[in-house]
Every structure is written in C-alpha cells, then in structure tokens.
Amino acid sequence: MSLVANTGKLAGRTLFITGASRGIGKAIALKAAKDGANVVVAAKTAEPHPKLPGTIYTAAEEIEALGGKALPCIVDVRDEKQIQKAIDEAVKKFNGIDILINNASAISLTGTAETDMKRYDLMHNINTRGTFLASKLCLPLLKESNHAHILNLSPPLNMNPYWFSLHVAYTMAKYGMSMCVLGMSEEFRQFNIGVNALWPKTAIATAAIEMLTGDTSSSRKPEIVSDAAYVMLSKDPKSYTGKFEIDEDVVKSVGIKDLAPYACDPSNVNNLLPDFFLDLPGHQTQEVKKSEPAGQIPELFSVINKTITPELVKKTQAVFQFNVKGKEEGIWHLDLKNGDGACGQGEPKHAPDATLTMDSTNFADMFAGKLKPTTAFMMGKLKIKGDMQKAMKLEKMMKSLKAKV
C-alpha cells in the first residue's frame, strides 16, 4: 500500500540494495522499479528458506514485472570479494551505481551475559562492518554519479542509557551504521554524495518481527519505509545530507495525512508498537512508580492454574520465571514444559527458558490482556532474559486467559 506517488525521479538510476530479497529492502526496490530504475539485488538468499519467503531471483522477477531492471547477486556483506564482484557486475550491466542502500542487518535482543560472541560478531560484521565496507567499495562509482545517495536503515543516535541497557550488543551494532552516516555525510560532502539514515517510528511487518513476536497486528507494512526512502532518494544529494529521518515524518512532509492504510491491521491503528531507540511518550525509561493495589498476583496465578491443560503444555514447551517488582514483589513461575504443567510462587523446579521482570501492575495488565508482552518489552515495561521467542509465546496463551481473568 504505497501512498507516495512515483515521480520518475529514479528512472534510469542504479540502486545497490543489500538485503533486498525480502522485507524493507525489497519494498524499496519495488518502489524504485516503478520509476524504471535498475536494482542490484545484493542478498544472501539464493535458495528458498524453509520459513522465510523470497530469494534474490524472485525479488528480481518482481522488480522487472513493475518496469525496472534487476541484477540478482549473491552477496554476504561480510565478504569483501562478494560485494566487489556484485559491484563489477553492476558496472558491466548498468554502467555504474547511483544509490547505495545499506539495509542488511542482524538482530539479537539479548543482554550482555546472554549474548554469545558468535552472535555479537555476526551483528557487528553485518550491521556496522558490512555498512562501512559496502559504502567504501561503492564510493568510486558514487563519486561519478550526478545523483549519488547512501541511505542506511539505522536509528537516530540516541544516547539515552536505557537503549543500551536492554541489548547493548545490538544497540552498538545498529549505532555503528548511524555513525557511518554521521561521519560519511561530512566526509563525502565534497563529492556531492548525500548520506542519510532512515528509521521506522513503529514496528514494521518483516520476517524479523514475525519471528520475534509471531504477530504483525501492531506493525505497519514495509511500504511506509519504502515511500519515505523514495522521498529521500528523490532529493538533491548536494544539499540533502547528514539527516536522521523517521519514516512517518518523511511521508507527512509530502502531504500524506492519513497513515491508517500503512497499518497491517487498520482496527489496531491507535495501538501500534513503537520501534526501538525513539524516546516516545509511553516508553518507560525510568524506574516504575510503585503505586499499585496489593493482592492481584496470587489471584491471577489461581486463575492461570485452572487454565493449564496437557495440550497447552505440549504446544508451549517452555518454563517461565516471573520476577515481579513493586508492591507485590516476589518470584513466580509457570511451567508449561514438564508433566501436566505447574504454576505458583517461588522459582520453578526446572531451569527457566525465559525470565521476565516487570512491575506488578504491568504484570496484572499483561495477563488481563490489556498489555501485550511484545508492547511491554518494546516500551521498557518488561525485561526478558533467556529465550526471546519462547517468552513471546506467552502472548498467544494470554489470549485464552483474557476472558477468564
């Protein structure tokens, strides 16, 4: 659902997009294709993934079906030779590169102790190093273009310690991409190359969000980001550089007033999940106020106990520990993995797959269906240690509890 009209500004331009086989990267490619642009689909996915749709070849077919020209290239942004080979092929086919979009990214929302170094290296090698490397290798060609842009899908540099405390390794890796914008926009100004960053205001329905939460009803479609990218890439790079833009602000700047069509679930338009790194109203970045009534938690677990079934245990296969803060401070557990399941006060008998820490008021709201775990996590009301995907399985379970609490 694209709301920004194509103007033809990117006709004949060549875009090199990392991670363009699906999600936001592909959405930007398809938007440019409607102008008749050339797109280098630089991504790893050459063979279909068992869980994720799209390969570089299917993306190329969609680009050409919309009037663009495509060059699918197998590119792991950690590999200098693969990037250089794709650039050389782009020069042979399209005579150059005008626009680089650093979209490829890896994510792991884990605390310091839970982040294994293999995952740390992956995030830094793809996000920060990959962005730097692709920019460095494309630079000679961008210097030759009269409409040269680099666009990084990365957040504004927000130095609020809160955003580091949740997942310091991921934050550093994403901020590395943003620091490339900060430095390169100034460094490349003399070459008339615009270097900017774009970040979504809300969660975007991509494979990453779906794998993380299993639900996209609180997300927007990737088209809001591709529309914003199109507006940015249509601007004059000589004067438009060093900006850290938010998708919603960019589309509003060109007269889009009703953003509801971008929502995955139009009925949920007022309950969208805010994205990371933005200090929006509702994001909790300080200690919770302790003003909740007592006695809700034992009652809640009494209700939860009645809803545990062998089927639920079989389906969930996870042990949860809840560290409740505030007036009703205490430790509770929910075992949906062993035997017929169990719940109650104290630590679980078996090691927890996920430990959730939150204030007792928010905890009660979460189990009453008033606050989604995903929303609570993104807003800083819930801290998760351990297996993130298993923690998010609670969301589905809570839907069945909602009527009973």
Side-chain angles (χ1 to χ4, degrees), residues 301 318-325 330-336 342 344-358 363 366-367 382-386 391 394:
F301 271 91
V319 178
F320 305 101
Q321 178 172 318
F322 303 97
N323 295 341
V324 180
K325 304 292 183 187
I331 295 174
W332 296 79
H333 67 269
L334 174 58
D335 185 339
L336 295 176
Q345 196 156 12
E347 292 186 11
K349 286 180 186 174
H350 303 273
D353 294 292
T355 301
L356 293 82
T357 303
M358 68 191 309
F363 186 83
M366 193 168 81
F367 274 93
L382 166 64
K383 290 196 175 177
I384 299 171
K385 183 180 172 184
L394 278 172

Side-chain angles (χ1 to χ4, degrees), residues 290-309:
K290 301 174 182 178
S291 60
E292 62 283 337
Q296 287 179 299
I297 309 294
E299 194 181 325
L300 191 58
F301 271 91
S302 168
V303 175
I304 293 168
N305 192 41
K306 290 170 191 167
T307 64
I308 296 172
T309 61

Side-chain angles (χ1 to χ4, degrees), residues 22-39:
R22 59 175 74 97
I24 289 169
K26 189 178 87 167
I28 295 172
L30 297 180
K31 182 69 180 169
K34 290 175 188 170
D35 266 7
N38 309 316
V39 181

Side-chain angles (χ1 to χ4, degrees), residues 39-155:
V39 181
V40 182
V41 182
K44 282 197 306 177
T45 314
E47 299 292 325
H49 188 282
K51 290 183 181 174
L52 304 172
T55 67
I56 55 173
Y57 306 110
T58 57
E61 283 169 18
E62 289 182 59
I63 288 161
E64 300 204 328
L66 288 171
K69 288 180 184 166
L71 174 63
C73 295
I74 298 169
V75 173
D76 180 337
V77 295
R78 295 171 291 178
D79 189 323
E80 188 168 352
K81 286 178 182 168
Q82 286 185 23
I83 298 175
Q84 190 60 58
K85 187 183 176 203
I87 290 170
D88 295 343
E89 286 178 23
V91 172
K92 270 186 212 157
K93 185 160 183 176
F94 301 129
N95 301 315
I97 292 170
D98 299 289
I99 293 166
L100 166 65
I101 296 173
N102 288 306
N103 165 69
S105 198
I107 183 170
S108 180
L109 302 174
T110 44
T112 301
E114 295 76 44
T115 305
D116 63 68
M117 293 316 292
K118 189 177 175 186
R119 179 62 59 173
Y120 177 97
D121 290 341
L122 179 75
M123 287 192 285
H124 281 75
N125 286 335
I126 291 177
N127 301 4
T128 304
R129 186 179 182 275
T131 293
F132 183 91
L133 179 57
S135 304
K136 170 186 160 74
L137 297 182
C138 284
L139 181 59
L141 295 164
L142 294 170
K143 283 182 183 177
E144 292 173 18
S145 170
N146 63 1
H147 190 80
H149 280 276
I150 296 175
L151 180 63
N152 294 355
L153 273 295
S154 65

